[in-house]
Amino acid sequence: MTTITSSRGHTEVVSARRTELRDVSDIISLFSHFTEDVFGRIDVMHLLEKSNLSLTLCNEKNEVIAHAVFLDYPNWNITDQSDWESFLHKNYLNNKCTPLNTLFMHLFVAKEEYAAGCSQEIIRRVFIEIPELQFILLFIPADENLEPGLESAFEKMITAPGSAVDTNFTLLVSARHRYHPQLHVRKARMEDYNDLMPIWTRQSETLKETYSEYFLADIIEHQDEENQAVVCEAGDTVVGFMSLCSQVDVSLFHACFDLGPFHGLCKPHPEDVLKVPREPSIPEDEDKSKQTSQEAESISSQNVEHISDQDAAVQKGEVITISHTELLSDDITHKDFKASAAPLLETEEKDTFRPVYRGASNAVCIRLFCIDEKYETRSLDFLHYVFKLFPDKDFCIILVPHHVPEFCLIRSFVRVVPYFTTQLGHELYVFHRAGLLKSFTVRRATTNDIPGVKMLIKTLSLNESILNDLKIFTSACRDPDGTPVQAFIADVLDQIVGISVIRDEMDIEYIRSHYNIEDFIHFNHHEQEEHGHLNHFALNPIFHHYTKHFLKEILRLAHKSSLYYPIYPQYTEAKFQNPRAHSLTSALHYMVPVRPRRQIVYPLEELGINAPSEQVSKDQLSYSLNHINRKLITESKTSINSRIVVVGASDVGISFLETLVFCPHLKFNNLTLISIHGLPGKDLPASKHRRFLINSHCFNDEDYAQMSLCSWVNVVVGKMTGINRTAKYVVISKQRKVPYDYLVLCTGQKYQVLSPTGADISKLPTNRDVLSEWPQRYTGKVPSNHFNLNDDQDCLKALHWLEENIVNSEGNVIVYGNTIDIYTTVETLLSLGINGSRIHLVQPPLTSDVTCLNNSEIESAVQEALSEAGVSVYYDSILAQWSKGDDPDLITCAAFTTNTEPFKLQCSAFFSFAYRTVDYETFKAINDACLVFDGRLVIDTEFHTNDVSIRAAGSLTKYSRKYYADEWTHSNFNSKEIGFELATSMLNLFDPTLKPFSKPPEGMDSLIPMYKGCKIKGGVLPRGCNYLHISKPEIPIQLDIELALSDHGMEIITGKARHGNYFRMHINKYSMVDSITCFSKTPFPVSNYICLYGQHERLLNDLHYRWNEGQITDLYSYFREPWSMAIYHDQFIDLKKELRQILLSEQVPEPPPEPLADERPLPPEPVLRYLRRHRPHLPMYAPAAGERGAGGAAGRARL
């Protein structure tokens, strides 16, 4: 907050913020006659979209009183935006402007009476916002004068002799030293204590309580060669303090952090062990996210001369050499590097090679640091003096506790990636003295750069791909197919430290239609050629803090406004090594992941010429998309270092991680997933083994590919066997320890090995004799032909075993259980070629009145299909014994008791789906940690267990009995929605932009939340029929009982289950769709049908009326008609909200005039606007009368 005074003596308290779209009309209202004279004709919306930085000043009433826009090239078309630096050097004297330290003002408007004060405040805020900025330039026509408000903010630059530029334009400059100058740093003295104490007390209350009130004075007093204290001054006032120590125990850091890129923070030594084992412990084709570190080069201090002053190194021409000789090969198992992407696929820690460093410590450590928040963006000013104090040290390091929010100083440091088992409760940040150099320049690559680039990238796995692309640029500037290619070099003092290769984005329509790119840009303001595709980006880690500047320069020099970077899934990566390989960019940290859009499944044959273009509807390999644009470059993400450990790769866990990863303004550095088989989605799409289990349709292969969680999440393959709540770590497979700050348990329930009752069938027992001992968990060694299928990896293992041992041999397969998975498994066995007579489906007694299908017609069709296939079905059977023959590891026969006589079956493979509960080892870990367990892990409505650091969700959990809602658990709800809500509840701990939740009304905190998302299950049942059931969250009841309820609503059924064309839709008493059941021999678009849930029947083309009139005979055909496509669109919900707001508003718009007799009434304007905006997706809708092309609407849908 700042107070400004008007020309009339009035005062206003103003605050600066980033400009938002809603400000545009207010900004235009501030235009005066000076605006066009000084800045030219301005399209505000377009200018905001292309700006690097735009600020708005608001008063206490949130009224816009001033606004300014800044870009990295001149505000008039004086010279090409890529060439302004040479233009300035040629035409102006004493010019120190570079792309790193300069921005151009393109617009300034303000309320006339406050213009002077507002211009000063905005310029001050810009210098605070961008620490590297030294100059703000403004070109104005030579015959124009600045408006009065700006005159005091700028000075005229002197033109060079012989330059004619001043005849057309005048160049004005505003320099940093007048607004927010660099701080003066010196050694601390005892008299500084009084100035420092207010700052220290505000920022370090905990340290004050721990070390006493005079701790700071002790540090200042006891300085020596190894322990120094420095302060910074603004004017004559001390505003910051730093305590340093040159005695650093780097061996501790070697054990906890991956310091390979920084030579272990040690001086080079002849006995250093840097050689890499020949056999990599991580395959070269492992997920590309693990290549990030390979693009961060190791720095040797051997050839780096010391920098005594920020400018001296450049002015005196010192040679600063950055060694590339220590760049680690990607055969090294430094899988934790991920200097930017934070991905980590963990294997056994014992297999990891770690270099050994024998040299002396090469680092100085910041022990304590504090600075007045008004000057925190100048924190880096300390380091010039620090390296003077310690001329023999090349690195400055700082340890920061995980829970401490990121502050300005460490944004210029490189975060060192910790080993996943480290229990050191701090993050390590590193800064190299060469990082203070300001001669970081970006330029187009030339042929002469090839040797330097080759040295830079020689140990990268994709070095050949980078070099080939560089040679394509230097020779032809385009690919053989005509795609333009551009390459850029980053150099410092004529030494190459970075390389980037981009292409024109030729698939931008596909990106627009498949990703929510318009969350970040307004597409219509960007030309096709302004979209770029980032192929390669490698930068020496000591200049990591210049990554955003490197990207900014790429955009400027290439005349681009946006860059896109795809990450392809692991199983396709090999296909893109040549010629479309993408090296993982170390710039990923600064890019934002773009959410994919749900796609309409189009009935292309029915739509014919009204189908969308191939660019929209084509199928191609899915990928995760990352994005950067001019605006995002100057916006900083908030880094969250808290260690969040998720146990279980269930739908809930994946949804939780997805929600955190796709927060564009947050960067979670320490997300870890513990899972038995790692992340799902690693197998090729449409693999046969996926048909064994029913599908929840929360995520599919395309979703996993478009998320690319492995780029952001550390994955530890193993099983949780213990939790130490005191020390805050999870034990994995009884060996490794994974520390956490927040633990999220979402392992779900799993099928367990069911123990036979042991009944002696020779005595002819019945179920009544054994029910008291059933079911129980089997504790012995599990036979190798016994299968519990819980995930894709279990299914894949079973499939391989069946193909090797069963498919081409004799012997029975027993499928035991009464969940819907028994039917999908039987159908999969039949599809593998196993004869139905060899398959025995044995069902234990039901534990409730509701069957797994809960639909008598479908059940009859399934039983008929089983009978036709020759599958034997047994009911109410309890496993009594399994016997082993010559091989003690195999089940050879199984015996069952029934309500009458027992029976025995020969067995070659046994699939058990009869006992589903919390895994025993998970239960033991939870129970031993003294977390409340009552059949399931007990939580409250905010997902908390009885430990504030441990949350849980999904079918693992149940609500506390205090809610009196034992029948309701997370199992009754959509798992994806549960994961989203869990993440939302935790974001309140980390997201500074979120407003705190208000307390619920009294009494409401005793009610459990009722989530609204639909429950889905689908799969392929016997006879090859595709099954889908979509229902509201509910406590299951028999369908027959539900139909008998007076407020049941109505149901619409077409087709017959036994014919394989059954479609049932239930409309509740509020005329909303609340369940859908499909049973069809023909595949159908599941994602489309999910969109129908929760819609009012009137939206479905007057479904109720048409049904009653007999116009609907086949719901499958009905929902393939062109009118329905808009409902399947991912932004249809936004249209519904807009229409609802209109209906609820006090001023309902005037009804349109009555149409003529032969005209149809026009839809409301929001509907027309929706169709116009999404015409690429919805071309089957005829344009409204009067719109271009309306005459060709034959065969199109009308609303």
Side-chain angles (χ1 to χ4, degrees), residues 1073 1092 1095-1103 1118 1123 1127:
V1073 177
L1092 300 176
Q1095 305 289 1
H1096 195 282
E1097 59 87 14
R1098 292 290 302 277
L1099 280 175
L1100 306 182
N1101 211 8
D1102 279 334
L1103 176 65
Y1118 184 71
W1123 64 264
I1127 295 171

Side-chain angles (χ1 to χ4, degrees), residues 1105-1117:
Y1105 169 79
R1106 293 176 185 275
W1107 171 254
N1108 286 338
E1109 292 296 312
Q1111 299 178 16
I1112 301 174
T1113 58
D1114 180 14
L1115 284 172
Y1116 291 105
S1117 299

Side-chain angles (χ1 to χ4, degrees), residues 955-1023:
S955 58
L956 167 69
T957 66
K958 63 172 291 186
Y959 288 115
S960 171
R961 291 180 183 265
K962 71 180 181 180
Y963 299 111
Y964 298 95
D966 290 350
E967 292 182 315
W968 287 98
T969 70
H970 286 173
S971 301
N972 298 101
F973 302 104
N974 182 288
S975 296
K976 189 172 184 178
E977 184 180 13
I978 292 291
F980 171 80
E981 295 294 340
L982 171 61
T984 301
S985 70
M986 288 198 68
L987 282 174
N988 293 311
L989 301 171
F990 308 114
D991 192 344
T993 65
L994 289 180
K995 295 180 180 178
F997 282 138
S998 57
K999 291 186 177 181
E1002 187 175 353
M1004 293 296 290
D1005 56 352
S1006 61
L1007 300 177
I1008 65 169
M1010 298 303 291
Y1011 305 107
K1012 298 179 180 180
C1014 57
K1015 286 279 291 180
I1016 309 165
K1017 54 184 178 182
V1020 183
L1021 302 187
R1023 198 181 278 160

Side-chain angles (χ1 to χ4, degrees), residues 878-1175:
I878 296 177
L879 179 63
Q881 298 176 356
W882 61 44
S883 58
K884 303 172 183 177
D886 297 335
D887 188 344
D889 193 37
L890 294 173
I891 299 172
T892 56
C893 68
F896 301 86
T897 59
T898 67
N899 292 328
T900 55
E901 295 182 355
F903 64 93
K904 182 184 290 188
L905 297 172
Q906 185 274 333
C907 178
S908 296
F910 192 99
F911 288 82
S912 179
F913 300 98
Y915 185 40
R916 191 171 195 165
T917 186
V918 177
D919 177 76
Y920 175 74
E921 288 183 306
T922 301
F923 157 73
K924 192 172 187 306
I926 291 170
N927 192 59
D928 291 348
C930 297
L931 297 175
V932 178
F933 193 92
D934 181 13
R936 302 188 191 189
L937 180 57
V938 175
I939 59 170
D940 64 12
T941 56
E942 294 295 323
F943 306 96
H944 298 120
T945 64
N946 56 304
D947 186 321
V948 294
S949 300
I950 301 177
R951 288 165 170 77
S955 58
L956 167 69
T957 66
K958 63 172 291 186
Y959 288 115
S960 171
R961 291 180 183 265
K962 71 180 181 180
Y963 299 111
Y964 298 95
D966 290 350
E967 292 182 315
W968 287 98
T969 70
H970 286 173
S971 301
N972 298 101
F973 302 104
N974 182 288
S975 296
K976 189 172 184 178
E977 184 180 13
I978 292 291
F980 171 80
E981 295 294 340
L982 171 61
T984 301
S985 70
M986 288 198 68
L987 282 174
N988 293 311
L989 301 171
F990 308 114
D991 192 344
T993 65
L994 289 180
K995 295 180 180 178
F997 282 138
S998 57
K999 291 186 177 181
E1002 187 175 353
M1004 293 296 290
D1005 56 352
S1006 61
L1007 300 177
I1008 65 169
M1010 298 303 291
Y1011 305 107
K1012 298 179 180 180
C1014 57
K1015 286 279 291 180
I1016 309 165
K1017 54 184 178 182
V1020 183
L1021 302 187
R1023 198 181 278 160
C1025 287
N1026 298 277
Y1027 171 77
L1028 174 69
H1029 182 63
I1030 303 169
S1031 64
K1032 65 181 180 182
E1034 61 184 351
I1035 299 170
I1037 62 172
Q1038 290 184 42
L1039 181 59
D1040 295 341
I1041 297 176
E1042 184 181 347
L1043 293 173
L1045 298 176
S1046 59
D1047 60 351
H1048 171 65
M1050 68 170 292
E1051 59 178 4
I1052 299 175
I1053 300 176
T1054 63
K1056 298 291 183 182
R1058 66 175 182 273
H1059 296 156
N1061 61 351
Y1062 178 85
F1063 196 124
R1064 176 185 178 271
M1065 178 174 282
H1066 176 230
I1067 313 294
N1068 66 19
K1069 61 181 180 180
Y1070 303 109
S1071 300
M1072 311 290 283
V1073 177
D1074 73 354
S1075 77
I1076 298 171
T1077 306
C1078 299
F1079 189 76
S1080 171
K1081 292 181 180 178
T1082 306
F1084 46 78
V1086 173
S1087 60
N1088 285 3
Y1089 292 171
I1090 294 172
C1091 299
L1092 300 176
Y1093 172 80
Q1095 305 289 1
H1096 195 282
E1097 59 87 14
R1098 292 290 302 277
L1099 280 175
L1100 306 182
N1101 211 8
D1102 279 334
L1103 176 65
H1104 189 183
Y1105 169 79
R1106 293 176 185 275
W1107 171 254
N1108 286 338
E1109 292 296 312
Q1111 299 178 16
I1112 301 174
T1113 58
D1114 180 14
L1115 284 172
Y1116 291 105
S1117 299
Y1118 184 71
F1119 290 117
R1120 283 199 303 269
E1121 293 177 5
W1123 64 264
S1124 64
M1125 297 299 114
I1127 295 171
Y1128 308 144
H1129 194 276
D1130 64 322
Q1131 295 180 20
F1132 183 68
I1133 188 173
D1134 297 330
L1135 173 63
K1136 287 174 61 179
K1137 289 178 180 178
E1138 185 176 359
L1139 294 174
R1140 180 175 176 81
Q1141 288 291 54
I1142 293 174
L1143 292 173
L1144 294 177
S1145 64
E1146 295 182 4
Q1147 296 181 346
V1148 179
E1150 289 287 330
E1154 287 293 326
L1156 299 177
D1158 58 344
E1159 286 186 344
R1160 293 189 181 189
L1162 282 177
E1165 176 56 31
V1167 176
L1168 296 176
R1169 188 165 59 245
Y1170 169 81
L1171 293 176
R1172 283 194 297 267
R1173 181 180 180 188
H1174 301 297
R1175 184 159 301 284

Side-chain angles (χ1 to χ4, degrees), residues 636-652:
S636 296
K637 289 185 180 181
T638 300
S639 287
I640 310 297
N641 287 326
S642 295
R643 296 167 296 185
I644 302 174
V645 175
V646 180
V647 181
S650 61
D651 289 338
V652 173

Side-chain angles (χ1 to χ4, degrees), residues 675-838:
S675 172
I676 297 173
H677 295 126
L679 281 167
K682 295 180 292 186
D683 304 314
L684 289 170
S687 300
K688 288 188 293 185
H689 68 274
R690 302 206 174 164
R691 298 176 60 178
F692 274 108
L693 297 176
I694 207 71
N695 191 343
S696 69
H697 288 286
C698 288
F699 299 100
N700 57 31
D701 297 313
E702 188 175 8
D703 296 327
Y704 293 127
Q706 291 173 337
M707 283 189 283
S708 186
L709 288 181
C710 51
S711 298
W712 310 100
V713 179
N714 306 316
V715 181
V716 180
V717 178
K719 191 170 188 178
M720 179 182 73
T721 55
I723 303 172
N724 188 319
R725 290 169 53 192
T726 304
K728 284 195 169 184
Y729 63 78
V730 176
V731 181
I732 306 301
S733 303
K734 299 182 180 180
Q735 296 176 348
R736 297 175 291 173
K737 299 176 182 178
V738 178
Y740 68 84
D741 296 307
Y742 296 96
L743 179 63
V744 178
L745 302 176
C746 44
T747 56
Q749 295 185 328
K750 299 181 183 298
Y751 290 117
Q752 305 296 315
V753 181
L754 183 65
S755 177
T757 61
D760 185 355
I761 62 171
S762 64
K763 297 180 179 179
L764 303 180
T766 64
N767 287 347
R768 184 184 303 175
D769 301 322
V770 298
L771 270 177
S772 61
E773 302 174 10
W774 183 87
Q776 291 186 14
R777 185 179 66 90
Y778 182 70
T779 57
K781 182 181 179 182
V782 180
S784 61
N785 61 341
H786 182 287
F787 299 98
N788 286 119
L789 306 183
N790 289 297
D791 56 32
D792 285 346
Q793 295 303 310
D794 291 339
C795 296
L796 182 61
K797 179 182 176 182
L799 177 67
H800 290 161
W801 192 92
L802 289 169
E803 290 175 338
E804 292 176 6
N805 300 281
I806 297 294
V807 173
N808 297 318
S809 64
E810 299 297 326
N812 292 336
V813 179
I814 297 176
V815 180
Y816 185 50
N818 52 24
T819 66
I820 195 170
D821 292 314
I822 62 174
Y823 297 123
T824 54
T825 297
V826 168
E827 170 58 24
T828 305
L829 294 174
L830 291 170
S831 69
L832 291 175
I834 300 174
N835 192 286
S837 62
R838 298 169 56 196

